[in-house]
Amino acid sequence: YNSSVIKDFFTYSCGAIFLRAITLFLAPIILRTISPEEYGVLALVNSFIAVVAPIIGLGLRQVLTLEYFHVAGTNRQQLVNEIIIVYVLLCAPLFTLLYAIRIPFQHYLWGQQLSDHLLVLALVQTGIYFFVELVYQLLGYERRVHTLIGLQ
């Protein structure tokens, strides 16, 4: 029994509850400002991001999990930098390709109800998701719970 475990548990729990409360509070506002059709498209985009973002990560966060504690100091920073470089070098062309074939891509996934602008935003958010999760993972490794919860 470790008091820091209980303290971290309550910190994470409060953060998670707070995030869910924000979502619950914003739902009626969002539903009043967009049409049901737009809400459906938004739900599809969010589902796309939720499914594709972990796949696009190419297992690089798992590499960090396996290697992070085997290196020390500046080597950890170098490991993180290498993971970021690999991600950018592989995903930038992939996202560019998805945008280049956007007509069949949009038709297949969204029945052409998705504007180019929203597609670009979805691709950008999918790409950024990796970096957000990487920062959360690193803050967790460094035991910076309060910073982590503040960012969430």
Side-chain angles (χ1 to χ4, degrees), residues 30 34 37-47 118:
I30 291 170
I34 63 175
E37 180 180 315
E38 291 170 325
Y39 187 78
V41 171
L42 182 62
L44 286 172
V45 169
N46 286 331
S47 295
L118 192 53

Side-chain angles (χ1 to χ4, degrees), residues 102-112:
R102 69 186 171 278
I103 304 296
F105 182 62
Q106 287 172 323
H107 180 69
Y108 179 72
L109 288 178
W110 294 287
Q112 294 197 344

